[in-house]
Amino acid sequence: TANAQWGGRFAGGPSAIMREINASIGFDKAMWRQDIAGSLAHAAMLAKVGIISATDETKIRNGLTEIGREIEAGTFIFDDALEDIHMNIEARLSERIGEAGKRLHTARSRNDQVATDFRLWVRDAADGISAQIAALMLSLATRALEYADTAMPGFTHLQTAQPVTFGHHLLAYVEMLSRDRGRLADARRRLNECPLGSAALAGTSFPIDRKMTAAALGFDRPTANSLDAVSDRDFALEYLSALSILAMHLSRFAEEIVIWCSAPFSFIRLSDAFTTGSSIMPQKRNPDAAELARAKIGRVAGSLISLLTVMKGLPLAYAKDMQEDKVPVFEATEAVSLTLAACDGMVRDLKASERQMRTFAGSGFSTATDLADWLVRVLKLPFRTAHHVTGRLVALAEAKGTDLAELSLADMQSVEPGITNDVFSVLSVEASIASRTSEGGTAGANVRQQAEAWLKKLAPG
Ligand code: ARG
């Protein structure tokens, strides 16, 4: 039989496969709260401008509230034949309250309805993700303060570069995550316009009050162009872009956890709560959570590419293609939310092996730059020359199988006669770190100050 919501000009019903490919209820029921909120705002506005009666509005309001309870209680029956969440709820409303329910869809289309619901959903999701990012930043800043003076090797090319502190390293991620929050906040600002009242694509002849519905739903204003409003999914793409960059950051962090946990590094240890064993190798402690956090970017970036590809080449205005917008957004949100929670758990859980980190902070000639800088500062050598001299000293130390600091003064002077005993004062890891006091540098005092500033900014309440 024909669809009850639009079957007037149809004699027969859709084939089973038509129904199956057409139905979105399986996933868009996740937007039921947003759909009810949108309908409540729409009905209140219809009554206020006199398009429906106050009595009908009351019936609609009570009916929708009851339906919300049914869905929450799990007693609501979702029907594939009714395609999506919008028609499932509307059909149930008419079933419950009769004629009044059939008036709800006046001056509205599913096209502006779904655009509104989806914006509301993405807005809530962006707020939830942003709060989770803030929680992770707080955990990172807390651990950064704890490890503000803990030396570790800083790497470039994953080769020992210069000593840094573990706290400084953790705070680098706080900076990244702060930009991620900024991107979400920025996307949210642009998203926050209300499509409701754009109707199918052209607007409506009814004397609706779009400012009223926009305000009731917490939007800053109604959208300006009805064609754009029903066919725009930029807001979802911006959100997915922000999530993709965020997931990329989390993937980098997770990769570092994997590296730091591996036996040859042994920089940190995760407790039993965040490791798993092997079914064959009894000694194993695998950082699976970190590996999965490293991998989730695949889904998230995939979601962005998926929706970009869906939207590419779509002529204005609405096309059913756009129904494919929801699953990527839902999936990416779930993946990022879980990844944030796992990263937060690992940050709180991890224990740094400060001795191991300190040992490797001093290996690999990590203070060679400090030596070169000393030659510039004390002997007034041009930096390029100092670089060359230091390179020869490193080669000498390497040949002798020692560290730079273990070379004798005579060894040093065989390469550069001007070198004095004072040079040894800059060759320790501690001296190197303490000297990096430039703005944003790794000196312990800097790190403590930055960690404290973040803690103050992020403090709940
Ligand atoms: N389920 C649809 C979607 O998610 C709702 C809009 C349907 N509009 C239409 N003209 N068939 O996009």
Side-chain angles (χ1 to χ4, degrees):
T1 60
N3 185 300
Q5 307 302 109
W6 47 249
R9 60 111 71 218
F10 285 75
S15 76
I17 201 68
M18 174 69 214
R19 246 186 218 192
E20 191 180 335
I21 194 171
N22 204 30
S24 54
I25 187 63
F27 49 85
D28 68 16
K29 61 178 161 214
M31 303 196 302
W32 67 268
R33 284 178 200 281
Q34 290 75 18
D35 196 67
I36 288 179
S39 289
L40 287 171
H42 184 65
M45 181 278 291
L46 291 179
K48 194 208 108 192
V49 301
I51 298 172
I52 64 172
S53 69
T55 331
D56 282 351
E57 195 267 331
T58 306
K59 283 188 193 156
I60 291 172
R61 189 163 9 97
N62 294 339
L64 287 171
T65 308
E66 281 307 311
I67 289 171
R69 287 203 189 106
E70 288 175 10
I71 297 176
E72 239 165 8
T75 58
F76 187 97
I77 297 161
F78 294 100
D79 182 0
D80 261 16
L82 289 165
E83 294 185 19
D84 54 27
I85 187 63
H86 324 293
M87 295 210 295
N88 268 271
I89 289 178
E90 194 195 320
R92 177 70 181 137
L93 184 66
S94 299
E95 203 174 279
R96 291 189 68 113
I97 67 169
E99 285 292 293
K102 296 184 184 177
R103 295 189 199 279
L104 173 60
H105 212 55
T106 316
R108 180 177 83 170
S109 153
R110 268 189 296 158
N111 297 348
D112 58 339
Q113 190 179 357
V114 73
T116 305
D117 292 2
F118 198 31
R119 278 189 195 232
L120 289 173
W121 195 94
V122 172
R123 194 175 70 184
D124 287 349
D127 290 345
I129 295 292
S130 182
Q132 275 192 281
I133 299 174
L136 174 56
M137 290 167 70
L138 188 62
S139 299
L140 283 164
T142 305
R143 301 312 301 270
L145 190 57
E146 188 182 330
Y147 293 121
D149 293 299
T150 302
M152 74 178 281
F155 298 99
T156 60
H157 313 264
L158 200 56
Q159 304 294 314
T160 302
Q162 295 173 356
V164 296
T165 70
F166 190 38
H168 195 54
H169 197 117
L170 294 176
L171 285 179
Y173 284 96
V174 175
E175 296 292 332
M176 297 179 223
L177 292 168
S178 161
R179 292 193 296 274
D180 290 321
R181 284 191 90 197
R183 271 181 283 273
L184 283 173
D186 191 38
R188 190 194 197 284
R189 247 191 312 280
R190 254 186 308 279
L191 161 154
N192 210 28
E193 296 185 344
C194 187
L196 202 59
S198 301
L201 75 165
T204 175
S205 57
F206 289 100
I208 57 172
D209 182 350
R210 294 192 59 207
K211 289 194 177 64
M212 180 179 167
T213 41
L217 295 169
F219 287 108
D220 295 328
R221 65 192 77 84
T223 50
N225 180 302
S226 61
L227 285 168
D228 175 47
V230 295
S231 57
D232 161 48
R233 293 294 181 271
D234 293 4
F235 63 91
L237 289 167
E238 281 196 52
Y239 170 69
L240 288 175
S241 307
L243 289 197
S244 297
I245 297 175
L246 165 61
M248 174 275 292
H249 286 152
L250 297 176
S251 180
R252 295 180 74 174
F253 183 57
E255 163 72 349
E256 303 221 78
I257 290 182
V258 171
I259 292 174
W260 295 339
C261 280
S262 84
F265 269 80
S266 295
F267 281 5
I268 63 167
R269 189 176 166 88
L270 289 173
S271 79
D272 294 355
F274 280 94
T275 43
T276 59
S278 155
S279 54
I280 172 170
M281 296 166 282
Q283 85 283 12
K284 287 301 260 323
R285 292 172 58 80
N286 295 327
D288 296 44
E291 293 165 78
L292 288 161
R294 182 172 61 185
K296 290 286 183 194
I297 172 76
R299 281 179 202 238
V300 182
S303 299
L304 171 62
I305 298 302
S306 164
L307 185 54
L308 275 172
T309 311
V310 165
M311 295 307 295
K312 175 200 168 295
L314 279 191
L316 301 188
Y318 178 83
K320 198 60 173 259
D321 308 49
M322 290 162 70
Q323 180 166 284
E324 292 288 308
D325 59 358
K326 285 164 210 80
V327 170
V329 167
F330 294 166
E331 273 186 1
T333 303
E334 198 191 314
V336 167
S337 173
L338 185 57
T339 306
L340 282 167
C343 286
D344 188 55
M346 289 187 284
V347 168
R348 291 151 163 273
D349 182 85
L350 69 83
K351 222 179 120 31
S353 310
E354 301 191 57
R355 267 187 48 198
Q356 176 80 350
M357 282 189 174
R358 169 65 184 78
T359 301
F360 285 93
S363 78
F365 310 105
S366 64
T367 55
T369 312
D370 299 85
L371 173 50
D373 288 351
W374 184 90
L375 294 170
V376 170
R377 204 170 44 245
V378 180
L379 301 190
K380 309 294 178 208
L381 298 189
F383 182 77
R384 265 305 140 230
T385 312
H387 186 288
H388 187 77
V389 168
T390 307
R392 290 184 55 204
L393 286 166
V394 168
L396 180 61
E398 199 168 38
K400 295 196 155 203
T402 71
D403 230 354
L404 274 177
E406 287 158 12
L407 287 176
S408 67
L409 183 59
D411 287 336
M412 294 268 191
Q413 288 173 341
S414 73
V415 173
E416 168 48 60
I419 294 181
T420 65
N421 248 322
D422 180 59
V423 77
F424 293 102
S425 70
V426 301
L427 296 183
S428 75
V429 166
E430 287 67 28
S432 173
I433 289 174
S435 73
R436 297 300 195 276
T437 52
S438 58
E439 197 174 333
T442 198
N446 280 12
V447 174
R448 257 190 306 283
Q449 191 198 334
Q450 284 176 26
E452 271 158 8
W454 275 118
L455 289 173
K456 216 169 123 198
K457 222 184 290 184
L458 294 162

